[in-house]
């Protein structure tokens, strides 16, 4: 374990408003004013937020977006080892959640440097709460894959997922993703599209995948979060799933991983399913 002196600083992950600056916590305003170093995904947005909160940052402000994240790590770690507080903020919501931050947190953990968090707004939980879909169990899928083949493969992993799923999508790809989802998961799967959360033109659209795909065809703008209902429980046998695993293998997946994912989604024995696929090949 690396040696850490009593003078070591700490990394503070701070959630920022999704759109309305009034959602900022008093702790965030104080942290912006007092942090010795502020690592911001977009320095212009940071300064706009500080102005809206009537706060003047006194610390050094550095950019910390995806393309420079790795290059910035050594200097930020030096600041922390020197005893300074580094505040990490992204454009909206919680750092590390499909935003810069994970690499810095992991580096701090590896060097035994303190990390804490100022909780606050999150598009994931906000959309989930507004969706009208079950919230007791859910999974977060990040951004939907851009390439059609990868997106189809990803959607197949959600076919038997019983938990409500939340993911981000860009507005110009939304219609295509919803249409693909309807094709893989069924036209009647329920979903919600949450647009511009907490902003002036906030809009929540709820319906089936087919209905939402039709609506999105006309064009959608803004920040998009999609909430997808989980799969209905189904009674299946190992024999019923052999073809599904075979299709995934034909699409390029390894047999072992395909069998594992299908087994996990349906509750059957992975070994029995794997053996059944091998038996079907021999037959």
């Amino acid at each position: 374990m690396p040696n850490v002196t009593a003078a070591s600083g700490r990394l503070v992950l701070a959630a920022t408003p999704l759109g309305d600056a009034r959602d900022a916590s008093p702790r965030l305003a104080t942290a912006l004013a007092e942090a010795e170093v502020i690592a911001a995904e977009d320095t212009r947005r940071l300064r706009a937020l500080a102005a809206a909160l009537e706060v003047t940052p006194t610390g050094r402000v550095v950019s910390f977006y995806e393309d420079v994240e790795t290059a910035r790590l050594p200097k930020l770690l030096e600041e922390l080892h020197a005893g300074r507080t580094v505040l990490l903020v992204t454009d909206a919501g919680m750092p590390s959640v499909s935003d810069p931050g994970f690499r810095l947190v992991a580096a701090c953990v590896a060097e035994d440097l303190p990390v804490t968090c100022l909780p606050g707004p999150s598009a994931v939980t906000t959309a989930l709460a507004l969706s009208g879909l079950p919230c007791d169990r859910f999974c977060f899928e990040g951004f939907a894959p851009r390439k059609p083949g990868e997106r189809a493969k990803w959607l197949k992993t959600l076919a038997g997922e019983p938990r409500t799923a939340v993911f981000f999508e860009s507005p110009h790809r939304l219609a295509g993703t919803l249409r693909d989802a309807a094709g893989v998961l069924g036209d009647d799967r329920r979903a919600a599209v949450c647009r511009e959360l907490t902003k002036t033109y906030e809009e929540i659209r709820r319906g089936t995948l087919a209905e939402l795909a039709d609506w999105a065809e006309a064009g959608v703008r803004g920040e998009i979060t999609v909430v997808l209902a989980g799969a209905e429980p189904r009674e299946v046998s190992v024999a019923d799933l052999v073809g599904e695993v075979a299709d995934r293998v034909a699409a390029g997946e390894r047999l072992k991983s395909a069998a594992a994912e299908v087994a996990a989604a349906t509750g059957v024995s992975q070994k029995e399913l794997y053996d059944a696929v091998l038996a079907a090949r021999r037959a």
Side-chain angles (χ1 to χ4, degrees), residues 229-274:
E232 293 292 333
R234 56 175 177 153
E235 292 293 331
V236 294
S237 66
V238 169
D240 295 329
L241 300 172
V242 169
E244 183 175 338
V245 174
D247 288 343
R248 293 174 65 150
V249 171
E253 290 188 55
R254 293 176 60 248
L255 172 57
K256 188 173 183 179
S257 60
E261 289 186 8
V262 173
T266 56
V268 303
S269 164
Q270 178 181 336
K271 183 179 185 305
E272 289 182 14
L273 180 56
Y274 183 87

Side-chain angles (χ1 to χ4, degrees), residues 84-230:
R84 299 184 181 90
T85 296
V86 175
L87 181 70
L88 175 61
V89 294
T90 52
D91 291 348
M94 181 61 68
S96 293
V97 182
S98 287
D99 273 332
F102 165 74
R103 293 181 179 86
L104 180 55
V105 172
C108 287
V109 171
E111 299 195 23
D112 202 25
L113 289 164
V115 181
T116 189
C117 181
L118 300 184
S122 167
V124 177
T125 52
T126 301
L128 182 67
L130 290 171
S131 69
L133 298 171
C135 301
D136 53 336
R137 297 178 67 229
F138 73 94
C139 59
F140 174 57
E141 294 288 322
F143 277 91
R146 295 185 178 187
K147 296 181 180 179
E150 293 178 1
R151 186 162 61 236
K153 181 179 176 181
W154 167 70
L155 287 167
K156 287 180 180 179
T157 68
L158 297 177
E161 172 57 65
R163 297 170 296 178
T164 299
V166 184
F167 63 91
F168 298 148
E169 184 54 290
S170 68
H172 67 274
R173 288 195 298 269
L174 178 63
T177 295
L178 292 173
R179 190 67 67 193
D180 289 348
V184 174
L185 307 175
D187 287 346
D188 295 332
R189 179 77 72 95
R190 303 292 299 180
V193 175
C194 303
R195 186 178 74 86
E196 293 291 89
L197 288 169
T198 78
K199 300 175 185 177
T200 302
Y201 297 105
E202 176 180 284
E203 181 179 18
I204 314 298
R205 284 274 179 166
R206 306 175 184 87
T208 66
L209 285 172
E211 291 168 343
L212 292 171
D214 288 341
W215 162 75
E217 287 291 348
V220 180
R221 293 182 178 181
E223 301 285 337
I224 305 293
T225 305
V226 180
V227 186
L228 177 68

